[in-house]
Structures are given as structure tokens and as C-alpha cells.
PDB file of all heavy atoms in Angstrom:
ATOM      1  N   THR J   1     105.038 112.002 125.106  1.00 98.00           N
ATOM      2  CA  THR J   1     103.661 112.094 125.631  1.00 98.00           C
ATOM      3  C   THR J   1     102.827 110.942 124.914  1.00 98.00           C
ATOM      4  O   THR J   1     102.838 110.842 123.652  1.00 98.00           O
ATOM      5  CB  THR J   1     102.959 113.473 125.126  1.00 98.00           C
ATOM      6  OG1 THR J   1     103.760 114.460 125.737  1.00 98.00           O
ATOM      7  CG2 THR J   1     101.545 113.471 125.791  1.00 98.00           C
ATOM      8  N   ILE J   2     102.246 110.217 125.722  1.00 98.00           N
ATOM      9  CA  ILE J   2     101.315 109.176 125.185  1.00 98.00           C
ATOM     10  C   ILE J   2      99.960 109.541 125.341  1.00 98.00           C
ATOM     11  O   ILE J   2      99.540 110.259 126.142  1.00 98.00           O
ATOM     12  CB  ILE J   2     101.564 107.888 126.081  1.00 98.00           C
ATOM     13  CG1 ILE J   2     100.852 106.572 125.351  1.00 98.00           C
ATOM     14  CG2 ILE J   2     101.199 107.846 127.570  1.00 98.00           C
ATOM     15  CD1 ILE J   2     101.252 105.266 125.797  1.00 98.00           C
ATOM     16  N   SER J   3      99.188 109.152 124.267  1.00 98.00           N
ATOM     17  CA  SER J   3      97.715 109.486 124.176  1.00 98.00           C
ATOM     18  C   SER J   3      97.010 108.441 123.477  1.00 98.00           C
ATOM     19  O   SER J   3      97.668 107.545 122.836  1.00 98.00           O
ATOM     20  CB  SER J   3      97.469 110.830 123.468  1.00 98.00           C
ATOM     21  OG  SER J   3      98.018 110.801 122.266  1.00 98.00           O
ATOM     22  N   ARG J   4      95.672 108.305 123.571  1.00 97.00           N
ATOM     23  CA  ARG J   4      94.825 107.375 122.863  1.00 97.00           C
ATOM     24  C   ARG J   4      93.611 108.007 122.349  1.00 97.00           C
ATOM     25  O   ARG J   4      93.036 108.866 123.002  1.00 97.00           O
ATOM     26  CB  ARG J   4      94.684 106.124 123.854  1.00 97.00           C
ATOM     27  CG  ARG J   4      93.901 106.372 124.994  1.00 97.00           C
ATOM     28  CD  ARG J   4      93.916 105.005 125.827  1.00 97.00           C
ATOM     29  NE  ARG J   4      93.147 103.956 125.222  1.00 97.00           N
ATOM     30  CZ  ARG J   4      93.092 102.762 125.676  1.00 97.00           C
ATOM     31  NH1 ARG J   4      93.938 102.435 126.592  1.00 97.00           N
ATOM     32  NH2 ARG J   4      92.375 101.772 125.174  1.00 97.00           N
ATOM     33  N   ASP J   5      92.990 107.309 121.315  1.00 96.00           N
ATOM     34  CA  ASP J   5      91.853 107.687 120.845  1.00 96.00           C
ATOM     35  C   ASP J   5      90.907 106.360 120.932  1.00 96.00           C
ATOM     36  O   ASP J   5      91.182 105.441 120.150  1.00 96.00           O
ATOM     37  CB  ASP J   5      91.928 108.183 119.475  1.00 96.00           C
ATOM     38  CG  ASP J   5      90.593 108.556 118.867  1.00 96.00           C
ATOM     39  OD1 ASP J   5      89.424 108.075 119.274  1.00 96.00           O
ATOM     40  OD2 ASP J   5      90.550 109.346 117.908  1.00 96.00           O
ATOM     41  N   ASN J   6      90.122 106.367 122.001  1.00 95.00           N
ATOM     42  CA  ASN J   6      89.291 105.108 122.214  1.00 95.00           C
ATOM     43  C   ASN J   6      88.390 104.784 121.077  1.00 95.00           C
ATOM     44  O   ASN J   6      88.172 103.550 120.884  1.00 95.00           O
ATOM     45  CB  ASN J   6      88.617 105.223 123.580  1.00 95.00           C
ATOM     46  CG  ASN J   6      89.545 105.239 124.721  1.00 95.00           C
ATOM     47  OD1 ASN J   6      90.579 104.598 124.760  1.00 95.00           O
ATOM     48  ND2 ASN J   6      89.216 105.841 125.835  1.00 95.00           N
ATOM     49  N   ALA J   7      87.881 105.693 120.470  1.00 95.00           N
ATOM     50  CA  ALA J   7      86.974 105.505 119.308  1.00 95.00           C
ATOM     51  C   ALA J   7      87.647 104.709 118.202  1.00 95.00           C
ATOM     52  O   ALA J   7      87.013 103.988 117.466  1.00 95.00           O
ATOM     53  CB  ALA J   7      86.386 106.760 118.874  1.00 95.00           C
ATOM     54  N   LYS J   8      88.976 105.070 117.985  1.00 95.00           N
ATOM     55  CA  LYS J   8      89.632 104.438 116.949  1.00 95.00           C
ATOM     56  C   LYS J   8      90.617 103.320 117.487  1.00 95.00           C
ATOM     57  O   LYS J   8      91.310 102.747 116.658  1.00 95.00           O
ATOM     58  CB  LYS J   8      90.645 105.495 116.295  1.00 95.00           C
ATOM     59  CG  LYS J   8      89.838 106.624 115.627  1.00 95.00           C
ATOM     60  CD  LYS J   8      90.710 107.682 114.993  1.00 95.00           C
ATOM     61  CE  LYS J   8      90.056 108.733 114.298  1.00 95.00           C
ATOM     62  NZ  LYS J   8      90.960 109.724 113.683  1.00 95.00           N
ATOM     63  N   ASN J   9      90.536 103.015 118.701  1.00 95.00           N
ATOM     64  CA  ASN J   9      91.384 101.901 119.311  1.00 95.00           C
ATOM     65  C   ASN J   9      92.841 102.148 118.820  1.00 95.00           C
ATOM     66  O   ASN J   9      93.567 101.242 118.522  1.00 95.00           O
ATOM     67  CB  ASN J   9      90.945 100.574 118.757  1.00 95.00           C
ATOM     68  CG  ASN J   9      89.608 100.161 119.336  1.00 95.00           C
ATOM     69  OD1 ASN J   9      89.285 100.605 120.526  1.00 95.00           O
ATOM     70  ND2 ASN J   9      88.742  99.524 118.515  1.00 95.00           N
ATOM     71  N   THR J  10      93.298 103.404 119.095  1.00 97.00           N
ATOM     72  CA  THR J  10      94.676 103.745 118.575  1.00 97.00           C
ATOM     73  C   THR J  10      95.435 104.590 119.712  1.00 97.00           C
ATOM     74  O   THR J  10      94.672 105.294 120.437  1.00 97.00           O
ATOM     75  CB  THR J  10      94.530 104.686 117.322  1.00 97.00           C
ATOM     76  OG1 THR J  10      93.889 103.952 116.262  1.00 97.00           O
ATOM     77  CG2 THR J  10      95.933 105.061 116.861  1.00 97.00           C
ATOM     78  N   VAL J  11      96.621 104.203 119.820  1.00 98.00           N
ATOM     79  CA  VAL J  11      97.433 104.746 120.753  1.00 98.00           C
ATOM     80  C   VAL J  11      98.684 105.576 120.065  1.00 98.00           C
ATOM     81  O   VAL J  11      99.070 104.987 118.997  1.00 98.00           O
ATOM     82  CB  VAL J  11      98.069 103.835 121.897  1.00 98.00           C
ATOM     83  CG1 VAL J  11      98.940 102.741 121.142  1.00 98.00           C
ATOM     84  CG2 VAL J  11      98.784 104.543 123.037  1.00 98.00           C
ATOM     85  N   TYR J  12      98.992 106.668 120.603  1.00 98.00           N
ATOM     86  CA  TYR J  12     100.085 107.479 120.028  1.00 98.00           C
ATOM     87  C   TYR J  12     101.249 107.825 120.953  1.00 98.00           C
ATOM     88  O   TYR J  12     101.038 107.832 122.204  1.00 98.00           O
ATOM     89  CB  TYR J  12      99.469 108.833 119.640  1.00 98.00           C
ATOM     90  CG  TYR J  12      98.294 108.769 118.667  1.00 98.00           C
ATOM     91  CD1 TYR J  12      97.033 108.860 119.261  1.00 98.00           C
ATOM     92  CD2 TYR J  12      98.343 108.567 117.336  1.00 98.00           C
ATOM     93  CE1 TYR J  12      95.862 108.722 118.414  1.00 98.00           C
ATOM     94  CE2 TYR J  12      97.265 108.528 116.385  1.00 98.00           C
ATOM     95  CZ  TYR J  12      96.001 108.514 117.035  1.00 98.00           C
ATOM     96  OH  TYR J  12      94.890 108.439 116.185  1.00 98.00           O
ATOM     97  N   LEU J  13     102.468 108.010 120.451  1.00 98.00           N
ATOM     98  CA  LEU J  13     103.533 108.352 121.286  1.00 98.00           C
ATOM     99  C   LEU J  13     104.228 109.414 120.539  1.00 98.00           C
ATOM    100  O   LEU J  13     104.788 109.313 119.482  1.00 98.00           O
ATOM    101  CB  LEU J  13     104.475 107.084 121.463  1.00 98.00           C
ATOM    102  CG  LEU J  13     105.600 107.499 122.336  1.00 98.00           C
ATOM    103  CD1 LEU J  13     105.050 107.693 123.822  1.00 98.00           C
ATOM    104  CD2 LEU J  13     106.661 106.295 122.383  1.00 98.00           C
ATOM    105  N   GLN J  14     104.079 110.691 121.153  1.00 98.00           N
ATOM    106  CA  GLN J  14     104.769 111.839 120.615  1.00 98.00           C
ATOM    107  C   GLN J  14     106.083 111.939 121.269  1.00 98.00           C
ATOM    108  O   GLN J  14     106.163 112.075 122.473  1.00 98.00           O
ATOM    109  CB  GLN J  14     103.930 113.244 120.895  1.00 98.00           C
ATOM    110  CG  GLN J  14     104.563 114.452 120.302  1.00 98.00           C
ATOM    111  CD  GLN J  14     104.725 114.490 118.835  1.00 98.00           C
ATOM    112  OE1 GLN J  14     103.664 114.187 118.194  1.00 98.00           O
ATOM    113  NE2 GLN J  14     105.836 114.859 118.440  1.00 98.00           N
ATOM    114  N   MET J  15     107.174 111.866 120.441  1.00 98.00           N
ATOM    115  CA  MET J  15     108.383 111.957 120.972  1.00 98.00           C
ATOM    116  C   MET J  15     109.270 113.209 120.547  1.00 98.00           C
ATOM    117  O   MET J  15     109.403 113.444 119.389  1.00 98.00           O
ATOM    118  CB  MET J  15     109.294 110.723 120.515  1.00 98.00           C
ATOM    119  CG  MET J  15     108.537 109.467 120.728  1.00 98.00           C
ATOM    120  SD  MET J  15     109.528 107.978 120.245  1.00 98.00           S
ATOM    121  CE  MET J  15     109.510 108.195 118.577  1.00 98.00           C
ATOM    122  N   ASN J  16     109.472 114.050 121.509  1.00 98.00           N
ATOM    123  CA  ASN J  16     110.200 115.292 121.207  1.00 98.00           C
ATOM    124  C   ASN J  16     111.619 115.319 121.929  1.00 98.00           C
ATOM    125  O   ASN J  16     111.898 114.460 122.772  1.00 98.00           O
ATOM    126  CB  ASN J  16     109.365 116.428 121.861  1.00 98.00           C
ATOM    127  CG  ASN J  16     108.037 116.591 121.301  1.00 98.00           C
ATOM    128  OD1 ASN J  16     107.879 116.378 120.016  1.00 98.00           O
ATOM    129  ND2 ASN J  16     107.043 117.039 121.953  1.00 98.00           N
ATOM    130  N   SER J  17     112.558 116.280 121.519  1.00 98.00           N
ATOM    131  CA  SER J  17     113.814 116.249 122.019  1.00 98.00           C
ATOM    132  C   SER J  17     114.499 115.044 122.012  1.00 98.00           C
ATOM    133  O   SER J  17     115.156 114.481 122.986  1.00 98.00           O
ATOM    134  CB  SER J  17     113.671 116.974 123.401  1.00 98.00           C
ATOM    135  OG  SER J  17     113.195 118.163 123.448  1.00 98.00           O
ATOM    136  N   LEU J  18     114.413 114.235 120.890  1.00 98.00           N
ATOM    137  CA  LEU J  18     115.007 112.910 120.784  1.00 98.00           C
ATOM    138  C   LEU J  18     116.557 112.971 120.916  1.00 98.00           C
ATOM    139  O   LEU J  18     117.211 113.841 120.479  1.00 98.00           O
ATOM    140  CB  LEU J  18     114.636 112.282 119.554  1.00 98.00           C
ATOM    141  CG  LEU J  18     113.162 111.722 119.578  1.00 98.00           C
ATOM    142  CD1 LEU J  18     112.699 111.608 118.050  1.00 98.00           C
ATOM    143  CD2 LEU J  18     113.002 110.466 120.152  1.00 98.00           C
ATOM    144  N   LYS J  19     117.007 111.834 121.600  1.00 98.00           N
ATOM    145  CA  LYS J  19     118.447 111.697 121.818  1.00 98.00           C
ATOM    146  C   LYS J  19     118.904 110.421 121.144  1.00 98.00           C
ATOM    147  O   LYS J  19     118.156 109.464 120.936  1.00 98.00           O
ATOM    148  CB  LYS J  19     118.664 111.616 123.325  1.00 98.00           C
ATOM    149  CG  LYS J  19     118.188 112.751 124.160  1.00 98.00           C
ATOM    150  CD  LYS J  19     118.284 112.448 125.730  1.00 98.00           C
ATOM    151  CE  LYS J  19     117.719 113.574 126.544  1.00 98.00           C
ATOM    152  NZ  LYS J  19     117.864 113.151 128.008  1.00 98.00           N
ATOM    153  N   PRO J  20     120.259 110.262 120.874  1.00 97.00           N
ATOM    154  CA  PRO J  20     120.749 109.052 120.363  1.00 97.00           C
ATOM    155  C   PRO J  20     120.438 107.798 121.047  1.00 97.00           C
ATOM    156  O   PRO J  20     120.106 106.618 120.653  1.00 97.00           O
ATOM    157  CB  PRO J  20     122.166 109.370 120.194  1.00 97.00           C
ATOM    158  CG  PRO J  20     122.285 110.862 120.077  1.00 97.00           C
ATOM    159  CD  PRO J  20     121.144 111.398 120.872  1.00 97.00           C
ATOM    160  N   ASP J  21     120.287 108.033 122.498  1.00 97.00           N
ATOM    161  CA  ASP J  21     119.931 106.982 123.454  1.00 97.00           C
ATOM    162  C   ASP J  21     118.509 106.451 123.255  1.00 97.00           C
ATOM    163  O   ASP J  21     118.174 105.474 123.873  1.00 97.00           O
ATOM    164  CB  ASP J  21     120.205 107.370 124.860  1.00 97.00           C
ATOM    165  CG  ASP J  21     121.599 107.419 125.290  1.00 97.00           C
ATOM    166  OD1 ASP J  21     122.449 106.865 124.502  1.00 97.00           O
ATOM    167  OD2 ASP J  21     121.913 107.844 126.332  1.00 97.00           O
ATOM    168  N   ASP J  22     117.748 107.240 122.512  1.00 98.00           N
ATOM    169  CA  ASP J  22     116.319 106.751 122.266  1.00 98.00           C
ATOM    170  C   ASP J  22     116.361 105.781 121.013  1.00 98.00           C
ATOM    171  O   ASP J  22     115.269 105.246 120.675  1.00 98.00           O
ATOM    172  CB  ASP J  22     115.373 107.927 121.967  1.00 98.00           C
ATOM    173  CG  ASP J  22     115.236 108.856 123.166  1.00 98.00           C
ATOM    174  OD1 ASP J  22     115.090 108.399 124.327  1.00 98.00           O
ATOM    175  OD2 ASP J  22     115.317 110.032 122.980  1.00 98.00           O
ATOM    176  N   THR J  23     117.446 105.668 120.383  1.00 98.00           N
ATOM    177  CA  THR J  23     117.442 104.621 119.233  1.00 98.00           C
ATOM    178  C   THR J  23     117.040 103.247 119.707  1.00 98.00           C
ATOM    179  O   THR J  23     117.633 102.676 120.613  1.00 98.00           O
ATOM    180  CB  THR J  23     118.834 104.633 118.617  1.00 98.00           C
ATOM    181  OG1 THR J  23     118.988 105.971 118.043  1.00 98.00           O
ATOM    182  CG2 THR J  23     118.967 103.702 117.475  1.00 98.00           C
ATOM    183  N   ALA J  24     116.033 102.628 119.092  1.00 98.00           N
ATOM    184  CA  ALA J  24     115.641 101.326 119.539  1.00 98.00           C
ATOM    185  C   ALA J  24     114.522 100.916 118.484  1.00 98.00           C
ATOM    186  O   ALA J  24     114.028 101.816 117.691  1.00 98.00           O
ATOM    187  CB  ALA J  24     115.059 101.321 120.899  1.00 98.00           C
ATOM    188  N   VAL J  25     114.026  99.701 118.688  1.00 98.00           N
ATOM    189  CA  VAL J  25     112.817  99.069 118.031  1.00 98.00           C
ATOM    190  C   VAL J  25     111.814  99.424 119.124  1.00 98.00           C
ATOM    191  O   VAL J  25     111.822  99.082 120.226  1.00 98.00           O
ATOM    192  CB  VAL J  25     112.861  97.835 117.657  1.00 98.00           C
ATOM    193  CG1 VAL J  25     111.508  97.279 117.108  1.00 98.00           C
ATOM    194  CG2 VAL J  25     114.045  97.518 116.668  1.00 98.00           C
ATOM    195  N   TYR J  26     110.768 100.114 118.696  1.00 98.00           N
ATOM    196  CA  TYR J  26     109.598 100.510 119.557  1.00 98.00           C
ATOM    197  C   TYR J  26     108.431  99.530 119.281  1.00 98.00           C
ATOM    198  O   TYR J  26     108.024  99.380 118.057  1.00 98.00           O
ATOM    199  CB  TYR J  26     109.246 101.926 119.381  1.00 98.00           C
ATOM    200  CG  TYR J  26     110.157 103.022 120.040  1.00 98.00           C
ATOM    201  CD1 TYR J  26     111.418 103.039 119.557  1.00 98.00           C
ATOM    202  CD2 TYR J  26     109.741 103.656 121.197  1.00 98.00           C
ATOM    203  CE1 TYR J  26     112.398 103.932 120.094  1.00 98.00           C
ATOM    204  CE2 TYR J  26     110.663 104.557 121.657  1.00 98.00           C
ATOM    205  CZ  TYR J  26     112.010 104.586 121.234  1.00 98.00           C
ATOM    206  OH  TYR J  26     112.805 105.500 121.825  1.00 98.00           O
ATOM    207  N   TYR J  27     107.993  98.921 120.314  1.00 98.00           N
ATOM    208  CA  TYR J  27     106.924  97.901 120.221  1.00 98.00           C
ATOM    209  C   TYR J  27     105.615  98.475 120.949  1.00 98.00           C
ATOM    210  O   TYR J  27     105.569  98.819 122.103  1.00 98.00           O
ATOM    211  CB  TYR J  27     107.297  96.550 120.937  1.00 98.00           C
ATOM    212  CG  TYR J  27     108.510  95.953 120.328  1.00 98.00           C
ATOM    213  CD1 TYR J  27     109.722  96.070 120.648  1.00 98.00           C
ATOM    214  CD2 TYR J  27     108.197  94.982 119.160  1.00 98.00           C
ATOM    215  CE1 TYR J  27     110.898  95.437 120.090  1.00 98.00           C
ATOM    216  CE2 TYR J  27     109.287  94.329 118.640  1.00 98.00           C
ATOM    217  CZ  TYR J  27     110.532  94.583 119.062  1.00 98.00           C
ATOM    218  OH  TYR J  27     111.585  93.952 118.485  1.00 98.00           O
TER     219      TYR J  27
END
């Protein structure tokens, strides 16, 4: 789930049920 707080100019990525295939560098 992606979300953002415009007041803080911040974006979040909540990652659940992670799998080995999700292994990566996240940019």
C-alpha cells in the first residue's frame, strides 16, 4: 500500500506478505 503525507512531502510504502521475489533495492 502506497500513501503520502503532503504536509510532510513524504511517501510511504507498506509492504505486507513479503516474498523472496520482493528482494531488491527499492528506489
Side-chain angles (χ1 to χ4, degrees):
T1 302
I2 191 169
S3 61
R4 65 187 287 167
D5 184 333
N6 290 331
K8 296 180 179 180
N9 295 324
T10 299
V11 62
Y12 306 96
L13 185 69
Q14 178 65 44
M15 305 184 292
N16 298 328
S17 301
L18 282 161
K19 306 174 181 179
D21 283 349
D22 295 317
T23 295
V25 176
Y26 284 69
Y27 294 92

